[in-house]
Amino acid sequence: MASVTGLDGIIAAETELSLVDGQNGVLVYRGYEAKELALHNSFEEVAYLLWHGELPSTDVLNASKKRWAEHRSIPAELKAVLDLLPKESEMMSVLRTATSVLGTISHQEAEWPLHFEQILTNTLMLPTIIAYHYRRSQGLVPIEPDPQLDHVANYLYMLTGSVPQQVHVKVLTAYLILAMEHGMNASTFAGRVVLSTQSDLASALCASIGAMKGPLHGGAPSEVLHMLDAIGDKEQAEVWLRDELKAGRKLMGFGHRIYKTNDPRAEALRQLMTELAAEDPWFDLAIHVEKVAVELLNEYKPGRKLYVNVEFYAAAVMRAIALPTALFTPSFTLSRMVGWTAHLLEQTSCNRIFRPQSVYIGELPPSLRNHA
């Protein structure tokens, strides 16, 4: 019997949120190409689009930014719990715990269908929780949110204590927009399954965070980072990459399970980094390494059509802003929270409990063998 595990190719829901077309290299958020949104819009604008179905007007956006600033601070009850956790606690486990506590102290278990205010709170508080635990783990005093900064700039500010360079805010914003939503992936499916039982928001989000924590789903671009670090400068790129291919080793950041042509997310980051290459040497190095790698892959693996994926350029973003590797997946998570919550809102609007079937392949008792 052919394997039916993994649900590959199985349609589990209809959605208006995103189109992921791997054959043609297309990613669409509610009628807009994601790469165009990443290049020209703010994090706040794209979140509003996914939640509400349209981009906000200037007046609505300004009102939303003010409202966002009011939801960033961690309540005292949650701080007390975070302070009890060991400083060396792994960040994704901290986020799962914090989300559960936040659901309890804000009485999310009583909310059905979902209350948008709770979605806003969970989304906007997550960067503060990450920064709070990170600074504790480093023996540093946590920094309160700055209401004058936008979502991404404020995240970097809370991590470092310094107002970030605008070029770094711009590239991180683009990456986080491109990471917001990606169809019925494992973490999104996990959240929708839990919510389909009419469970609460915190339980659904804990399921999503738990799925993201697994390295097969939320694995960070750290291997690409090691590759760029090992290459070091443009002059060494061809020699290093050729040696890897001669040895039969994989070039990290090339090829993708879904995208069988150019990854549109990588295209957007490449375009942005090309514009900003003079402002950060890591952008210039990444662009050059991709060019050389593609040429060598065509030479050593003709016909394989291995294209650069988003993790390649994500690594360059993370290196440029000096984000510690322990924060790669949590940072991905704070962005994907927007997509998760948009899916959860969609699930409540047309809810039906998920109940797939399984195929029994075990032994039958003698009395039932004739019924097999």
Side-chain angles (χ1 to χ4, degrees), residues 7 16 54-55 120 125 127 162 169 178 199 320 326 333 364:
L7 300 181
E16 296 180 350
E54 60 184 8
L55 287 170
L120 206 57
M125 204 175 292
S162 301
V169 173
L178 294 164
S199 188
T333 301
L364 287 172

Side-chain angles (χ1 to χ4, degrees), residues 281-349:
W282 283 101
F283 300 164
D284 189 41
L285 175 63
I287 293 164
H288 180 76
V289 168
E290 184 205 353
K291 179 177 180 295
V292 174
V294 168
E295 292 172 354
L296 292 177
L297 285 168
N298 287 332
E299 177 184 338
Y300 284 86
K301 300 178 185 291
R304 287 286 302 277
K305 295 183 178 180
L306 294 171
Y307 300 93
V308 71
N309 60 45
V310 70
E311 300 303 340
F312 179 86
Y313 279 109
V317 172
M318 301 307 186
R319 171 58 76 198
I321 64 177
L323 197 73
T325 55
L327 296 182
F328 285 7
T329 301
S331 299
F332 182 17
T333 301
L334 76 84
S335 174
R336 185 56 63 84
M337 180 67 77
V338 175
W340 291 339
T341 51
H343 272 275
L344 297 179
L345 284 169
E346 189 173 65
Q347 183 67 36
T348 61
S349 70

Side-chain angles (χ1 to χ4, degrees), residues 47-288:
Y48 190 95
L49 170 67
L50 286 173
W51 286 330
H52 301 291
E54 60 184 8
L55 287 170
S57 66
T58 301
D59 288 344
V60 169
L61 180 62
N62 290 336
S64 295
K65 286 183 176 180
K66 182 178 179 182
R67 189 180 178 196
W68 280 40
E70 297 170 354
H71 286 266
R72 290 173 175 165
S73 296
I74 304 174
E77 301 96 323
L78 179 52
K79 279 186 180 180
V81 173
L82 292 174
D83 288 343
L84 290 173
L85 297 176
K87 291 183 178 180
E88 65 273 15
S89 297
E90 194 269 335
M91 184 66 78
M92 292 300 289
S93 296
V94 171
L95 298 187
R96 185 190 60 221
T97 299
T99 298
S100 184
V101 172
L102 186 59
T104 301
I105 64 178
S106 59
H107 307 293
Q108 290 178 12
E109 65 274 11
E111 300 285 352
W112 181 270
L114 299 184
H115 193 290
F116 184 71
E117 204 70 12
Q118 299 292 1
I119 282 177
L120 206 57
T121 297
N122 278 271
T123 303
L124 303 184
M125 204 175 292
L126 200 62
T128 314
I129 294 168
I130 294 171
Y132 188 90
H133 180 68
Y134 172 71
R135 289 187 67 84
R136 281 188 68 244
S137 72
Q138 302 300 305
L140 302 170
V141 176
I143 295 171
E144 288 297 312
D146 185 340
Q148 303 304 314
L149 297 175
D150 68 19
H151 192 64
V152 177
N154 178 64
Y155 175 52
L156 293 176
Y157 165 72
M158 290 188 298
L159 289 172
T160 66
S162 301
V163 175
Q165 297 178 45
Q166 191 55 39
V167 62
H168 291 163
V169 173
K170 188 170 184 177
V171 293
L172 183 58
T173 297
Y175 170 64
L176 294 179
I177 287 173
L178 294 164
M180 270 187 191
E181 162 59 12
H182 209 243
M184 194 63 77
N185 54 78
S187 56
T188 297
F189 184 57
R192 287 190 73 144
V193 168
V194 170
L195 198 75
S196 77
T197 69
Q198 292 194 3
S199 188
D200 57 284
L201 175 63
S203 296
L205 292 178
C206 283
S208 293
I209 291 170
M212 183 67 80
K213 186 174 185 288
L216 293 184
H217 181 36
S222 53
E223 292 300 324
V224 181
L225 196 61
H226 296 329
M227 180 177 75
L228 293 176
D229 278 338
I231 292 172
D233 60 63
K234 293 161 66 172
E235 287 70 26
Q236 298 299 317
E238 182 172 354
V239 172
W240 193 94
L241 293 168
R242 192 178 290 278
D243 286 346
E244 291 294 292
L245 289 170
K246 283 182 178 178
R249 289 188 285 268
K250 181 180 178 181
L251 297 187
M252 305 309 297
F254 292 84
H256 193 275
R257 180 175 178 178
I258 300 297
Y259 294 106
K260 304 309 177 185
T261 182
N262 290 309
D263 184 335
R265 302 167 299 173
E267 287 184 339
L269 290 178
R270 181 200 301 116
Q271 180 177 332
L272 185 57
M273 287 186 187
T274 300
E275 296 170 4
L276 302 173
E279 300 191 46
D280 195 292
W282 283 101
F283 300 164
D284 189 41
L285 175 63
I287 293 164
H288 180 76

